[in-house]
Amino acid sequence: MKPIRKAVFPVAGLGTRFLPATKAIPKEMLPVVDRPLIQYAVDEAREAGIEQMIFVTGRGKSAIEDHFDIAFELEKTMSERGKDLSVLEPTRLGPGNCAYVRQQEPLGLGHAIWCARDIVGDEPFAIFLPDEFMHGTPGCMKQMVDAYHKVGGNLISVLEVPHEQVSSYGVITPGAQDGPLTEVRGLVEKPKVAEAPSNLIVSGRYILQPEVMRVLERQEKGAGGEIQLTDAMAEMIGTQSFHAVTFDGARYDCGSKAGYIQANLAVALERPDIAEEVRAFAIDLLQ
Ligand code: UTP
C-alpha cells in the first residue's frame, strides 16, 4: 500500500457566496479567529503525515502564495523589536513542500483536481476543500489516513445532514458498515431530495487513487455545468474499493455565512486567551 504523501488543495473557486468579502481576497484566506482557513487545512494535512501541498490556484489568489512564503521584512522588523516569531512557524512551506498550479478557468472541482495531475503523478493522494472546516482531535485527514491503512483504495469523509438539505451536496449510496467505515455503493452530486439515496453527504476530504485523473480527463460537465469530482468517483465504484469515513468531530461549512460565524464562535470559545470574554459577550447579546 503506497503512503499518502501529497495533498491537493483546490482554491481556484470564485467564492461568490461570500461577496463582496471575496472580491479581492481569496475565500480560503478568511480567518477563523486568527488563522486563515487554508492554514487549518495545511496543518490538518501535516498532522496526517502529508509532506507535499499542491495548491490549484486561479487569478486573484496570490495572497495564498504570500501566506506560505517567508515574509522577510516582517520577520526582520519583528526580530529587531524582540517579538516572538513562533506564530509564523506553521506558515512556512519550503520549496520541497509546496507546489502551485493554475486552473485558468473555473470549470469545476473535478477540473481543478485534474490540473494537478502531473505533480500528483502515479500515487494515491489526499484532497482538501479548505472552506469545509473540519474541527476535531485527531483531525479529519488523520482519521482517514488511519482508515486507509486498514482498507486501502479510495476514501471520502461523510457526515449526516437533515434529509431536506441533501440537494446542495454529493450524496452516497451506503453499503455495509463497520464502525466509522461505510462501504460506498454509489455517489450522486446534488440530487433532488426525493431521489437522494441517503442523507450521508461528502464533506470535503478525500483520499483517491491516481486512476481518478484518467477518468477526469474524459469527464463531461455535470451538475451546474461544471466538471464534477463526484461524477468521476462514481464511475470508479465497482472497479476499485470505495469507503466513507464518518468524521468524529465537528464540520462547519465556511463557504456559507452562517457556517463561517459558527466556526469562529466555536473556536473562540475554546481559546484560553479569549474564551471568557467572548462567552460573556455572547450571553449578554442573547439576553
Ligand atoms: P465551491 O462549490 O465552494 O465554489 O467549490 P466556490 O467558487 O469556491 O464558491 P461559491 O459557491 O461561488 O461561493 C468547492 C471547492 O472547489 C474549488 C473551490 O475553491 C472550493 O475549494 N473549486 C471550485 C476550484 O478550485 N475550481 C473550480 O472551478 C470550482
Side-chain angles (χ1 to χ4, degrees), residues 109-181:
L109 174 60
H111 180 259
I113 301 302
W114 180 75
C115 290
R117 65 198 178 284
D118 285 343
I119 310 175
V120 167
D122 195 26
E123 55 183 287
F125 63 105
I127 300 173
F128 290 74
L129 308 193
D131 57 344
E132 301 249 358
F133 179 58
M134 309 300 270
H135 190 48
T137 314
C140 183
M141 187 51 72
K142 173 83 175 74
Q143 294 179 25
M144 291 178 71
V145 167
D146 289 347
Y148 172 77
H149 289 145
K150 287 189 198 130
V151 292
N154 301 272
L155 290 126
I156 47 189
S157 97
V158 293
L159 55 93
E160 257 182 80
V161 294
H163 210 85
E164 59 277 11
Q165 290 178 15
V166 290
S167 51
S168 310
Y169 302 99
V171 179
I172 71 161
T173 307
Q177 203 184 336
D178 177 14
L181 277 172

Side-chain angles (χ1 to χ4, degrees), residues 10-17 27-28 103 106-109 112 129-131:
V11 292
L14 298 175
T16 54
R17 283 172 295 160
K27 170 167 76 173
E28 298 76 14
Q103 183 191 26
L107 296 177
L109 174 60
L129 308 193
D131 57 344

Side-chain angles (χ1 to χ4, degrees), residues 220-239:
E220 306 276 327
K221 287 180 179 168
E226 294 192 333
I227 297 174
Q228 297 287 355
L229 180 62
T230 307
D231 296 344
M233 294 190 302
E235 244 190 88
M236 289 164 72
I237 294 171
T239 63

